[in-house]
Amino acid sequence: MHRSSAVVLLHLSACSLVAQAQFVAPLRPALPADLSPEFKIAVGDVDGDGFPDLVCANMGGTLPGAQNTLYRNDRLGGFVDATATHLPQVVDWTGAVALGDIDGDGDLDLFFGSGSGQPSRLYANDGTGRFTDVSAAQLPPITRTLYCAKMVDIDHDGDLDIVAREKVLLNDGLGNFTDVTGIHAPSAPISAWGMAVGDVNGDGHVDVMFGLNSNTVPPVLWLNNGAGVFAAASGNLPGPVYVGGDFQFGDFDRDGDLDVFLQAYARPSKLWLNDGSGVFTDVSATNLPALTAFSYASAVGDLDLDGDLDVVLFVGANVAGQTLILRNNGAAVFAVDAAAAPVATMASSCGALADLDLDGDLDLVFGNWNTQNAVWWNQHRHCHAAAAPTPGSPYSVTFASQPGYGPSTTVLIAVSIFPPGPLQRFPSHGSTVLQLGTVVTLGLGTTAVGSGEFGFVMAIPNGTGLSGMPLLWQGVVVEQQGAVLSLTNVFGDRVL
């Protein structure tokens, strides 16, 4: 079918939609069906197509555990389960996952930290997202139960090392690791379920903080001397926090140093501000609302594009709860934004923030324990459809600009009936996978001030000849009185 036929077949009408939160939970799941017990999640482009993919570390409720999973981004608003073809088929009790280019070949490799006497594993990427187990040749044996791991260059030699719990593994540049824990780390073992890495004292070296499941012992802080040798500095920390999983560094007060938000499990979460030298002060009483949810994970990022860092508190694990969005006022004072997220309870043991659809904002990923995983799309410059197009029925496509917190904007609507092409980036404007010669524009719309949304309702004609026809949507959002042109994500559908 020729591209111009789309205009003839699809009758369009514009409508204003009801008010919508900043995040939307798609009625059609963006992730494949999966009831595995996710414990940690990593986000990165493993297949080199420019779009972030998802790797889930599945612990399993009982030994021997569960198969870890890989979801490849389909570039059109969904994910495909590539576990069977792209990951080694191994059942492990996995508590940690880290992504990074360990061998300098330009793709992302994988480290999985296991537990209960099982070996941890190192997987090399062939560049297309297919992984091979190279543990026997390149990873020293690790039978320590690992609940957290990061890939980071601790010794300034240009390659990624691994810090996993108290284990320190140095990389020779080719992805071969040596266990140097005995000479590079303080001697005390660490019962850490979460960790964060960053330069907390401003000396240019990556430091490490570990969170502990303790009401009496504070988290552990290691300061790096620049050669990857760490010294304990937990005296720089205010006190104990019962930390259940990975937490986040971030410059919350915009003074140029890294502060830390520590989510707590069924106890008060904490916000500690850094004085610039790696000494932290607890400002939770004045800067945080009361937070005592069952939380194993948090994520940090600028959710509303106002220049400061907000916090997402993932709630649940073995007790389902409502995810919380904490807005930063710019001075590291946070308030819960109850209207930002859908009302949904999930057993979230892990989660992440990432621009999954390349529309310039951060989306939410939920790794849920024995329940379906989820993605919530950030609707700042976003398009989606709640239901697939069906011949003889109306089809609704929603375009959003700044839902709930921005002025009205103009949206230019475009559609293609051709398959997606390679990713094309347009600096300062966004990106597309639409093949530009196939695009048909369908006119302009204005988003409503309250909802930040504009909608098309389309009448799909009857006829079996339309079955399987792709519809790829994208909008151009005109913001700030026409001074900024921004592309939405590309959303893909097929006529049923």
Side-chain angles (χ1 to χ4, degrees):
M1 181 182 296
H2 192 271
R3 62 188 175 89
S4 61
S5 301
V7 179
V8 177
L9 290 172
L10 306 178
H11 173 71
L12 307 177
S13 63
C15 63
S16 295
L17 302 179
V18 296
Q20 185 77 20
Q22 183 186 349
F23 292 92
V24 61
L27 297 178
R28 290 180 287 163
L31 292 176
D34 184 357
L35 301 182
S36 299
E38 270 78 22
F39 191 66
K40 294 291 175 69
I41 195 164
V43 181
D45 177 16
V46 303
D47 53 10
D49 66 354
F51 284 78
D53 308 298
L54 308 176
V55 181
C56 297
N58 299 328
M59 179 176 284
T62 59
L63 292 173
Q67 169 71 44
N68 297 317
T69 48
L70 169 62
Y71 300 132
R72 295 177 65 195
N73 195 321
D74 72 2
R75 306 184 299 158
L76 299 175
F79 291 83
V80 176
D81 189 343
T83 305
T85 56
H86 288 62
L87 280 185
Q89 300 302 288
V90 178
V91 172
D92 274 336
W93 198 79
T94 308
V97 59
L99 273 171
D101 183 6
I102 62 169
D103 46 15
D105 63 353
D107 55 44
L108 296 178
D109 308 297
L110 265 172
F111 173 83
F112 284 116
S114 299
S116 296
Q118 297 173 336
S120 293
R121 301 186 187 275
L122 186 67
Y123 293 166
N125 189 345
D126 70 354
T128 69
R130 290 177 170 84
F131 293 89
T132 301
D133 191 338
V134 296
S135 309
Q138 296 178 226
L139 188 70
I142 302 173
T143 56
R144 179 85 157 112
T145 296
L146 299 179
Y147 298 118
C148 52
K150 300 288 185 183
M151 289 189 185
V152 62
D153 184 5
I154 63 173
D155 53 2
H156 297 284
D157 64 352
D159 55 46
L160 292 177
D161 311 298
I162 296 174
V163 180
R165 207 161 172 172
E166 72 272 10
K167 291 289 185 180
V168 179
L169 310 177
L170 284 188
N171 189 345
D172 68 355
L174 301 175
N176 301 300
F177 290 88
T178 302
D179 189 342
V180 296
T181 305
I183 56 175
H184 280 246
S187 59
I190 301 172
S191 179
W193 284 50
M195 61 186 293
V197 295
D199 177 13
V200 301
N201 57 358
D203 62 358
H205 315 314
V206 176
D207 309 303
V208 183
M209 187 182 293
F210 299 95
L212 309 184
N213 293 130
S214 175
N215 290 320
T216 58
V217 180
V220 173
L221 177 63
W222 285 358
L223 297 180
N224 188 343
N225 72 352
V229 178
F230 295 98
S234 298
N236 292 5
L237 307 180
V241 186
Y242 197 93
V243 179
D246 286 334
F247 53 95
Q248 304 290 327
F249 285 134
D251 184 7
F252 297 114
D253 53 4
R254 298 193 286 190
D255 64 351
D257 54 45
L258 291 179
D259 313 301
V260 63
F261 177 86
L262 299 117
Q263 79 285 341
Y265 189 74
R267 295 163 177 84
S269 294
K270 299 292 184 180
L271 177 65
W272 294 348
L273 296 185
N274 190 344
D275 70 355
S277 68
V279 177
F280 293 84
T281 300
D282 188 348
V283 297
S284 309
T286 56
N287 292 40
L288 284 184
L291 300 170
T292 56
F294 288 83
S295 179
Y296 262 75
S298 60
V300 168
D302 184 2
L303 299 178
D304 45 15
L305 304 180
D306 64 350
D308 55 45
L309 294 177
D310 310 298
V311 173
V312 179
L313 192 63
F314 297 96
V315 178
N318 58 329
V319 179
Q322 169 68 39
T323 298
L324 299 178
I325 306 296
L326 307 179
R327 299 278 190 202
N328 188 346
N329 73 349
V333 177
F334 290 86
V336 174
D337 186 347
V343 177
T345 58
M346 289 185 287
S348 301
S349 50
C350 55
L353 276 172
D355 185 4
L356 300 176
D357 51 7
L358 304 189
D359 62 351
D361 56 39
L362 296 174
D363 309 299
L364 275 167
V365 185
F366 300 84
N368 294 328
W369 188 265
N370 287 334
T371 57
Q372 175 62 43
N373 298 324
V375 165
W376 287 358
W377 299 110
N378 190 333
Q379 293 202 93
H380 191 112
R381 299 189 296 264
H382 190 75
C383 70
H384 72 278
T390 303
S393 300
Y395 174 54
S396 299
V397 185
T398 302
F399 293 83
S401 56
Q402 300 179 60
Y405 60 90
S408 63
T409 57
T410 301
V411 182
L412 174 66
I413 311 300
V415 67
S416 172
I417 61 170
F418 282 73
L423 177 66
Q424 300 181 70
R425 298 183 186 273
F426 302 95
S428 303
H429 301 293
S431 62
T432 189
V433 294
L434 297 184
Q435 301 182 56
L436 297 185
T438 72
V439 174
V440 174
T441 57
L442 300 178
L444 298 173
T446 302
T447 62
V449 175
S451 68
E453 295 183 346
F454 175 80
F456 277 119
V457 177
M458 311 174 59
I460 308 294
N462 277 311
T464 58
L466 298 181
S467 179
M469 184 180 74
L471 294 174
L472 274 58
W473 294 94
Q474 190 164 31
V476 181
V477 179
V478 185
E479 298 177 294
Q480 299 178 11
Q481 290 77 47
V484 178
L485 300 179
S486 301
L487 292 169
T488 70
N489 61 300
V490 176
F491 178 78
D493 242 335
R494 285 187 180 273
V495 178
L496 297 178

